[in-house]
Amino acid sequence: MDYENLPYPNLIQEYAKRNNHAFFREPVGNRSADNLRKLPSTVVEKLVEKHAPTFGPLSPVYKNVAGQFGTQQLTFFRENRGSVDHGLGRDNEDEYECAKFNILRHPRPDDHNNPAYCTAKGPVTGLNDAYLKLAHYPNVPGTVMSAPLLPRYEPVSEPHDRKDGHFQMPKAAQPSAFTRVLTTTELCEKLMLEMGHRWEDLSNFSRTCQTVMYAFDNASTRVDLLQNEFLGLHKTDEQIQKEQARGWKSTRASATMLIISNIRGKYQEAEGGEDPPNQYGYPAAPKGMYERLPATGRIPHPWMLLKSVDLCGPQMKFLHLHAVPNIDANLLRRCLRGLPNLEVLGVHNCELLHFGMSMEVLRVVIHHNKEPGFKRVRSDFSPFYYTGPRRYLKDFRGEYGVIPSDPGTVETRRAVAAVLSTVIPMAVENGIDWFSPGTGMRQFLERIPFALGTGRYILEAIHNIHRFETRIIHDLEKKELPEHTFLQLRDAMRRTLNSDLVLAVNGRSMDSKILNATMTRGLDFHLVTCAFCHIQLPAYFYTTQSCSRQQDQIECCGCQLRTLLDYQVDNFFQQKRETLRLIFNDPSFTGMKQYLDGTRLATVTEIYDPAFPFWEVAATPKREFLDAVAAGTTGGILILDQRPGPEFPARYKKVLIWKERAIDAWEYANANIDDARDSINGEIAKGRDMIRYLDDLNLNVATAAQARANTDAADKAEQYVNQKLAVLGEGQMVGKHGTTIAPSWSLEIEKYSQLVAAQVGLLENKGPFPIWNNVADAFW
């Protein structure tokens, strides 16, 4: 969905007119305010201007002279952040940010979902109604796309030929400026190679007209994981010749421009069609479905991928992996070892590569680029985005983006900023751009529910901190200033840069005393060091519990987020990761060749064991072995299901190690994923019965202590039920007694709606607390 095309009220413009203290950016220019007075520059700020002119001023501090706030001093995010542009901004920054909070992106079934929030109360119509119908995407009929960069149908020539799933406009009405260029395969490949490492730019360009999209599809090779077919890329020339001799249409597709993804088939509507929408226009829960491959059906994918790389790796220049389920950082590293000529790599929305794996993926790319004899690869990475379970399920609690459930332990805004503080410096030092507008990572970060208008400035604050530590501070050292002056300047500039980061994450100005306290020990500037990732950040990015530990146990929010993501249970995550681990869990797999072609000699005990799947893992196919026996080229006693006996040569007793590992993984996935749903549903039913029983006990308890004990037991049972629902992908977990802390889109859009309603006078605030709070409460 294109944010810019959505109708929205621009709340940032309203902040420019009033309530400046509720926004994080400095109230200068068109955002100036009568009730705020900027404090005069200090001596230190003048020294900074003299010795580091590219740095910009120190953090602006304003005194709030409004009566209801007394003499409070507020610190704002700097408007002037120096003369260096990191290329992170957009021309339409405010409009783009506000459009994210359009209610049609996360509509509610019990509301009119009016995109203006405050005027018409009737049901939405026209384009807004079309957006509303996407509430249950992709489980909706008539979708135009079946995979990234892949339209479902060919373009139509006349308007009357259009059906559900076709583009709105006929081909004749599409722009024709690029037609001649794009219909030339070589030129189209050049365009894809030029833009392929910037996924948002590539996908946006593909939607300029149907010609572009179909040209990209024709210039690339598409592997459909749902069909378990790699288009012959994983087959040797000998295998292809044998299949052709049998009359099969066996070929090998081009591997130069390769896109691997699921191709969603046609939506299978239920008998009788879908139910009508409710009174607000919100669509009913879909009754149809798309074809899905079970976990056991995905076991061959890692081998097919590595075999394709082994056979066709030198020809690959462009490789995109979209929503590939069985791939992690280790498998990606194995693939890159066989791709010496790869120029573009895109890894997007793969389930086992969550945001906490960003550093691991980055290290894989950096290591590849340093390998001699390999071309430098331009990469892009989009971590897996968690939309939450289907919205019509009663246990849906919110879309958090970076985490599947909110157990009430990690404030994701602070955690994401902490992780980025480790990833961005390494990316910048190695010339890797993942964060400018148009990249897949930036698109992922734009989808996280940060506070209004803060996403770009969080990235910019981290870039500025890195630039200071690697350049500006060294320039100051060369000036040979007096030690006292140097330390004063260094600490003041570091405090300013870290204040910018805190304010951008917080999403509003902060009391100067509270802000400074997060970076002060005694009277000196001090940052807290994480014992695990070794990043130095203000105490704002640590929980109180973590800061109270010994130095070697202090953990930042970013490391807490990584731990939460690594040990999540939602949607069988642990079982899926264990399945992939079992595929490669063998000490003989020291390289790609050992995995693809490694064999061992089956023992006599194994051959005589009916439970051992000899022919499923044998290096010599059964048919080839029996043909050799019939031809008399070998002989001996056949045992069990015609297995080679002791007299046969050793070559007939060899088994492929990768097939053994695949069978182990298949059995595990079948037992713990595909066939586990019935047993988990039984556990959920028992847990709900226990909750009802404990609730009934509370109706006739003798003491308050007994009632509390029953309530605690019921809460534990409810947490267990929520956990099992999360494992099935049909619910989300929360903390003890329903505690949550991570911002979700539904909650943020609701806050945005209330703020807009208050601005136009539809909502009057008569309570003791200001209504302008648009961020999660602090917890440090």
Side-chain angles (χ1 to χ4, degrees), residues 35-296:
N35 61 332
L36 294 175
R37 296 290 184 270
K38 186 176 182 180
L39 299 184
S41 300
T42 62
V43 175
V44 177
E45 186 166 359
K46 294 179 181 179
L47 288 174
V48 171
E49 184 179 356
K50 176 182 178 181
H51 296 292
T54 62
F55 179 81
L58 299 181
S59 295
V61 180
Y62 286 74
K63 179 184 291 187
N64 195 328
V65 298
Q68 66 183 102
F69 294 99
T71 58
Q72 184 184 28
Q73 291 186 359
L74 301 173
T75 302
F76 287 86
F77 186 90
R78 296 183 300 162
E79 191 69 15
N80 178 9
R81 296 174 296 283
S83 58
V84 177
D85 182 6
H86 300 287
L88 300 172
R90 288 185 172 90
D91 294 335
N92 59 339
E93 194 75 42
D94 291 352
E95 292 80 2
Y96 185 88
E97 289 292 327
C98 288
K100 295 180 190 178
F101 292 81
N102 188 283
I103 196 172
L104 292 177
R105 292 187 60 234
H106 298 271
R108 294 189 291 269
D110 55 352
D111 196 352
H112 291 281
N113 297 306
N114 185 272
Y117 291 120
C118 55
T119 54
K121 289 297 183 181
V124 296
T125 57
L127 180 61
N128 296 339
D129 182 56
Y131 278 118
L132 189 60
K133 292 179 180 178
L134 296 176
H136 300 314
Y137 182 85
N139 292 316
V140 291
T143 54
V144 175
M145 306 296 293
S146 59
L149 299 180
L150 182 64
R152 190 174 299 280
Y153 299 110
E154 294 292 330
V156 296
S157 301
E158 300 294 336
H160 57 76
D161 293 335
R162 186 190 176 278
K163 300 177 182 178
D164 283 345
H166 288 117
F167 284 93
Q168 292 284 346
M169 299 174 63
K171 185 177 180 180
Q174 297 295 310
S176 58
F178 296 120
T179 301
R180 185 168 298 179
V181 172
L182 293 168
T183 51
T184 305
T185 304
E186 292 79 4
L187 295 177
C188 187
E189 289 181 358
K190 290 287 186 181
L191 281 174
M192 294 184 70
L193 288 172
E194 186 65 28
M195 303 173 62
H197 66 295
R198 304 179 62 84
W199 168 242
E200 186 178 20
D201 284 344
L202 182 66
S203 59
N204 286 341
F205 181 64
S206 72
R207 295 198 300 270
T208 55
C209 65
Q210 295 181 52
T211 303
V212 176
M213 185 169 290
Y214 287 102
F216 282 177
D217 180 40
N218 292 331
S220 59
T221 299
R222 174 79 59 162
V223 170
D224 182 10
L225 294 178
L226 289 179
Q227 300 300 323
N228 269 334
E229 176 56 53
F230 270 65
L231 304 178
L233 297 173
H234 62 297
K235 297 177 181 178
T236 63
D237 293 336
E238 183 181 359
Q239 286 177 302
I240 293 176
Q241 291 172 2
K242 286 183 178 179
E243 291 176 357
Q244 290 175 343
R246 296 172 185 169
W248 298 356
K249 295 181 180 180
S250 182
T251 58
R252 181 186 297 157
S254 171
T256 305
M257 315 289 289
L258 186 61
I259 301 176
I260 301 177
S261 70
N262 299 309
I263 297 181
R264 193 182 298 116
K266 188 177 180 181
Y267 182 71
Q268 301 172 4
E269 296 190 43
E271 295 184 7
E274 303 292 334
D275 292 335
N278 66 9
Q279 59 178 331
Y280 302 107
Y282 190 84
K287 297 188 294 184
M289 59 178 295
Y290 281 104
E291 179 186 0
R292 298 182 183 274
L293 202 61
T296 51

Side-chain angles (χ1 to χ4, degrees), residues 333 336-337 339-340 342 359 361-379 425-432:
R333 183 182 292 108
L336 289 179
R337 289 174 183 170
L339 302 174
L342 187 68
M359 180 63 79
V361 175
L362 181 61
R363 289 194 180 109
V364 169
V365 174
I366 292 172
H367 181 268
H368 173 82
N369 287 340
K370 292 181 179 179
E371 285 288 320
F374 284 73
K375 281 189 176 181
R376 179 178 177 83
V377 63
R378 290 171 288 126
S379 64
M426 183 175 288
V428 172
E429 290 170 4
N430 290 275
I432 295 175

Side-chain angles (χ1 to χ4, degrees), residues 466-483:
H466 173 70
R467 177 173 172 269
F468 174 81
E469 298 295 343
T470 56
R471 295 187 57 183
I472 296 179
I473 194 170
H474 297 304
D475 294 340
L476 282 178
E477 291 173 347
K478 294 178 182 178
K479 293 179 180 289
E480 298 182 354
L481 299 172
E483 183 178 2

Side-chain angles (χ1 to χ4, degrees), residues 335-405:
C335 290
L336 289 179
R337 289 174 183 170
L339 302 174
N341 299 314
L342 187 68
E343 299 180 25
V344 172
L345 172 68
V347 183
H348 304 288
N349 210 38
C350 297
E351 189 171 4
L352 298 183
L353 294 174
H354 51 67
F355 181 70
M357 296 295 296
S358 299
M359 180 63 79
E360 295 300 319
V361 175
L362 181 61
R363 289 194 180 109
V364 169
V365 174
I366 292 172
H367 181 268
H368 173 82
N369 287 340
K370 292 181 179 179
E371 285 288 320
F374 284 73
K375 281 189 176 181
R376 179 178 177 83
V377 63
R378 290 171 288 126
S379 64
D380 194 12
F381 173 57
S382 302
F384 187 74
Y385 184 84
Y386 295 97
T387 58
R390 291 160 290 181
R391 295 181 181 277
Y392 52 83
L393 295 172
K394 64 178 182 179
D395 293 294
F396 172 82
R397 300 179 185 277
E399 179 179 323
Y400 306 104
V402 72
I403 56 176
S405 297

